[in-house]
Each structure stands twice: as C-alpha cells, then as structure tokens.
Amino acid sequence: MKEQFQETKKLILFEEKVGDKKVVYRQHKEDEEKEFVKIYEQKGKDYFFDYDGQTIKQIELRDFEEIPYLFSSFGYGFSDNTVNSFFRYQFDDKRINKIIISEEIESKKVRKTLFLNLNDLSALISSTNQEQRACNDTKKILIKNFLVDIFPEIAFDYKETNNNKKLILRNLNQKLIDQLTADDIEKIGDFYVDASKKYKRADLVKRMTFGLQKNAQILTLQEIIAKYESLLKENPPESSWQKFFDEYITLFDTRYAHKINYKNIATGITKYPDLVLVDIYGYIDFYELKKSSTPLIQYDSSHKTWYWTKDVSMVIAQATDYLQKSKENAISYTKAIKEETETESEEGIDVNIINPRVIIVAGSTKELNTTKKLNHFKNLRESLKDIEFVLYDELLERLKNLLDKIKIK
C-alpha cells in the first residue's frame, strides 16, 4: 500500500513497503490520471534508480545513509544538468548500461558497469561549475576528459580547454600548490619558461627554472616515499616491489641513466635479474628484489654464530651466477644490448660490463633486534664480493635523507 510522505510545489511522493525493500514513487499534481512514477527502490543503504539514458538504464547508489546531494531524490538523475545531460544523451557506448556511485569504491569500469567514486564525481561537478559562464561545449570537454583519465578504453578524444585568464589567476594560491604533483609543477614550469621568453628576461627564466626543478624534485620524492612506506606496511609480493623499482628507481637514484629490458636480449639464459640498470658512465648493475619480510639470518647453536637463511643464500647464489655469466659473455652481452636498444633515430646504448655489481634488496632491520645479530649481519654483508646487500628500511632512510638535502639546497 502506497503512503504519501512528502509534497512539493509540483510533486507528491509516496512510499511502499515490498518485502525488505522500500519503493518510492512520484505523482505530478497536474497529472489528471494521477499516474505513479517509480523513482527508486531502497534496500538497506543501497538505492536503485531507473535511468532513461540512451544506453545507461540504471544508476545505483551504494552504501549511503541518504541520497547524496549530487543526485536528484525525485528521480531526474544527476543534480548538475550538464553532467546529467551528458550521461543521458552524449554517452552512447553500448557496452555501458549501468552506473554505480559509492564513497568507498574507486572509479573503474567492470564489464558493462561504470563505478564512480563520489569524491571523483564531486570534483568533476566542481570543475564544471567553475566554467558556468563558459559555453556548454567547454563543459562537455571537461566531462569527456574526466572519463578518458579514468576509463582510457572509452573512445573519447582528450582535448585541452581554454579557461579565461581571471579564473587561472584567481586559483594561483597556496591551496592550489598543496594539490599539485611533480608532473603538474613541471608542466607549469614549462609554461612559465615559454611565457617568460616573451619578455626576454633570461635571468628570471634561469632563476625560476631552477626553483621549479627543485620543487619538482621535492614533490617527486615525497610521492615516492609515500608509496614506499605504503608498500612496507602492506608487505606485498616481490612482483609489486619489482614494479615499484622499475617505475621509480631512476627518479630517486640519479646514478642511473637507463633501464634495460633484459628479457628481450638474446643472451642464451633463462633466469633474469629483476632489474638491469646502466649508470651515467655506462656501467651495469643488476638488481634482485625479495620481500621486505624475508628472513635474513639464522642461528647455528653448535658454532654459536649466525649464517644466511636459505632464501638469502639462494638469492646470493643467483647473484653470483649473474656476475659470472656477465663476465664470461661480456662481449656478446654488450653487442646484444646495443642492438636491442637501437632505434631508427638513435644509436643503441654502449655499456661497460667491467666488474658489474648486484644489489640485493631484502628484509629489514626489525629482524636485527640485538647487537650480536646486527654485528653478525654486518660481517656477512661485508664479506660479499661485488654484491651490495640493502635492507628495505635502510633504503627508505636514504630516500628521506636525499629529500632533506634537496630541501636544504
């Protein structure tokens, strides 16, 4: 049985209990036939709205105490007319038929469903509201760019927008700085350098470029450190650490100029280092990465001493094998790397395989909780030839020290 529970100037709202669900309807006062139009079904904290888009037919609000302000509680879709119009009429990808909005789930595409994080959606609507005096085409561009950033597989062209000068200058404040990433700083720096050339101020360009480079370094290292600390807490598999080092090592260790995709090089071996890096002088280093929780040493009660665990012994043996094979096949390796890295416009990389090193990253100082353990580990580590053993939290301290040095400069 439908019961009235709300009335507006033009509408009367009714609700009906159906099992464990509540169904809400609207009725237009001017409708002579008094037709009930279903707005949504509610089950617990989830709301299910029918949507009359060209392809999107349902919008689900997941885990909300009440309907968020970004969405119409009367069944008309998104509260922002531009966003609503876009998803209703412009979004014609037939592979998408449903939207789920949530505060917890990250924005992503799963089969025929788009998951939109409420904060992402709120940021989108804020950006369109800033352009309220601009033409509707500009707003549509912002929405398309938002979708391209989060769902690159959707076929929309990314376009730059031309915001007015007053809007840009109004937003050049501390609040904006706090939100900028290293890439943002670099982009602004490039723009500034180009703009400064208009007035032939070489001294100003040089000074500002140096400042921008320093800020970009600081922001980059801060991002890297934050991700590194997050990984340390998660204790992920070795593949996650390999991905992290592959993406960031040339940013936080400026000794290295190149990464080599060793698996593409015909060296005749089947076991590869996790990373192969070339320093600024052309010398090669190999990296082997284990988990940050890898046990390092164990106690020999009969000799009252400590020795490497099985996992560490195996990775040291593997490192020794890399060093041996690279020395034995130095000429063929050098030639293969040069050929593999050659492009149409550039020659391949010349590398020097003379006394190469292997850097093993594994374990942490948490295990070395006594002076005796620490001293035995130090002796074991220093006994390795051409192998550098680095603990994960030691590397974190190196990153933090590097950040401090840049800030001081």
Side-chain angles (χ1 to χ4, degrees), residues 175-218:
K175 187 176 180 181
L176 176 63
I177 293 174
D178 293 340
Q179 299 177 50
L180 293 176
T181 65
D183 289 339
D184 296 333
I185 291 287
E186 185 176 9
K187 190 173 182 180
I188 292 172
D190 291 341
F191 174 81
Y192 175 83
V193 171
D194 290 340
S196 297
K197 290 175 182 176
K198 177 181 178 181
Y199 299 102
K200 313 281 185 195
R201 289 288 307 275
D203 61 322
L204 188 62
V205 173
K206 184 177 180 180
R207 187 169 67 250
M208 191 62 182
T209 301
F210 176 78
L212 288 166
Q213 288 173 341
K214 176 181 174 180
N215 286 335
Q217 279 184 295
I218 290 172

Side-chain angles (χ1 to χ4, degrees), residues 98-160:
K98 182 179 179 180
I99 293 175
I100 295 177
I101 300 172
S102 170
E103 290 182 293
E104 302 298 331
I105 300 174
E106 66 177 17
S107 297
K108 59 185 177 180
K109 175 180 175 290
V110 180
R111 293 184 289 277
K112 293 188 175 183
T113 300
L114 289 185
F115 289 84
L116 290 177
N117 180 273
L118 185 66
N119 289 331
D120 290 343
L121 184 60
S122 178
L124 166 67
I125 293 175
S126 293
S127 67
T128 60
N129 287 339
Q130 289 175 6
E131 298 288 343
Q132 60 185 337
R133 295 182 181 177
C135 67
N136 288 332
D137 287 343
T138 300
K139 289 189 176 183
K140 290 177 183 177
I141 289 173
L142 288 169
I143 299 167
K144 285 184 178 181
N145 290 349
F146 164 79
L147 290 169
V148 170
D149 286 338
I150 298 180
F151 311 109
E153 67 271 35
I154 297 175
F156 287 130
D157 294 330
Y158 191 98
K159 297 181 180 179
E160 297 294 338

Side-chain angles (χ1 to χ4, degrees), residues 40-294:
Y40 63 85
E41 294 181 4
Q42 180 184 359
K43 185 175 181 180
K45 295 182 180 181
D46 298 338
Y47 298 81
F48 303 86
F49 287 79
D50 291 337
Y51 193 67
D52 58 346
Q54 287 184 340
T55 62
I56 299 171
K57 300 302 179 183
Q58 187 183 66
I59 296 179
E60 177 184 342
L61 309 180
R62 183 171 291 180
D63 198 23
F64 287 96
E65 295 289 347
E66 57 185 23
I67 297 171
Y69 73 97
L70 299 177
F71 205 77
S72 168
S73 59
F74 301 119
Y76 300 116
F78 298 93
S79 300
D80 185 279
N81 290 333
T82 304
V83 173
N84 199 43
S85 177
F86 184 90
F87 281 100
R88 180 172 283 154
Y89 303 116
Q90 299 293 327
F91 201 84
D92 57 3
D93 188 335
K94 291 181 170 55
R95 293 171 297 175
I96 307 298
N97 58 22
K98 182 179 179 180
I99 293 175
I100 295 177
I101 300 172
S102 170
E103 290 182 293
E104 302 298 331
I105 300 174
E106 66 177 17
S107 297
K108 59 185 177 180
K109 175 180 175 290
V110 180
R111 293 184 289 277
K112 293 188 175 183
T113 300
L114 289 185
F115 289 84
L116 290 177
N117 180 273
L118 185 66
N119 289 331
D120 290 343
L121 184 60
S122 178
L124 166 67
I125 293 175
S126 293
S127 67
T128 60
N129 287 339
Q130 289 175 6
E131 298 288 343
Q132 60 185 337
R133 295 182 181 177
C135 67
N136 288 332
D137 287 343
T138 300
K139 289 189 176 183
K140 290 177 183 177
I141 289 173
L142 288 169
I143 299 167
K144 285 184 178 181
N145 290 349
F146 164 79
L147 290 169
V148 170
D149 286 338
I150 298 180
F151 311 109
E153 67 271 35
I154 297 175
F156 287 130
D157 294 330
Y158 191 98
K159 297 181 180 179
E160 297 294 338
T161 59
N162 272 325
N163 295 322
N164 61 68
K165 184 178 74 172
K166 288 183 179 179
L167 179 63
I168 294 173
L169 295 176
R170 188 165 62 246
N171 283 283
L172 292 179
N173 51 44
Q174 184 62 44
K175 187 176 180 181
L176 176 63
I177 293 174
D178 293 340
Q179 299 177 50
L180 293 176
T181 65
D183 289 339
D184 296 333
I185 291 287
E186 185 176 9
K187 190 173 182 180
I188 292 172
D190 291 341
F191 174 81
Y192 175 83
V193 171
D194 290 340
S196 297
K197 290 175 182 176
K198 177 181 178 181
Y199 299 102
K200 313 281 185 195
R201 289 288 307 275
D203 61 322
L204 188 62
V205 173
K206 184 177 180 180
R207 187 169 67 250
M208 191 62 182
T209 301
F210 176 78
L212 288 166
Q213 288 173 341
K214 176 181 174 180
N215 286 335
Q217 279 184 295
I218 290 172
L219 284 168
T220 300
L221 272 174
Q222 287 173 337
E223 289 181 8
I224 291 171
I225 289 170
K227 290 182 179 180
Y228 193 97
E229 289 176 328
S230 177
L231 285 171
L232 277 179
K233 289 180 181 178
E234 295 171 7
N235 186 31
E238 293 166 17
S239 58
S240 297
W241 283 113
Q242 185 173 348
K243 182 179 179 182
F244 174 86
F245 277 80
D246 186 63
E247 184 173 358
Y248 294 113
I249 192 166
T250 54
L251 296 178
F252 66 74
D253 195 330
T254 54
R255 293 176 299 175
Y256 298 119
H258 303 285
K259 287 181 296 187
I260 302 295
N261 191 344
Y262 211 61
K263 295 180 182 179
N264 289 342
I265 297 172
T267 56
I269 62 174
T270 56
K271 174 64 178 175
Y272 304 94
D274 291 327
L275 285 172
V276 179
L277 298 162
V278 182
D279 69 16
I280 56 176
Y281 303 108
Y283 294 102
I284 273 187
D285 283 345
F286 303 111
Y287 270 73
E288 271 298 303
L289 308 171
K290 304 299 288 183
K291 294 182 67 173
S292 55
S293 61
T294 300

Side-chain angles (χ1 to χ4, degrees), residues 25-28 31-37:
Y25 303 84
R26 68 172 181 256
Q27 192 179 83
H28 288 264
D31 184 6
E32 295 180 357
E33 296 181 3
K34 304 296 182 184
E35 180 184 8
F36 290 98
V37 178

Side-chain angles (χ1 to χ4, degrees), residues 1-4 14-16 25 36:
M1 181 177 177
K2 300 178 182 64
E3 296 181 358
Q4 179 179 336
F14 297 82
E15 66 179 19
E16 179 182 30
Y25 303 84
F36 290 98

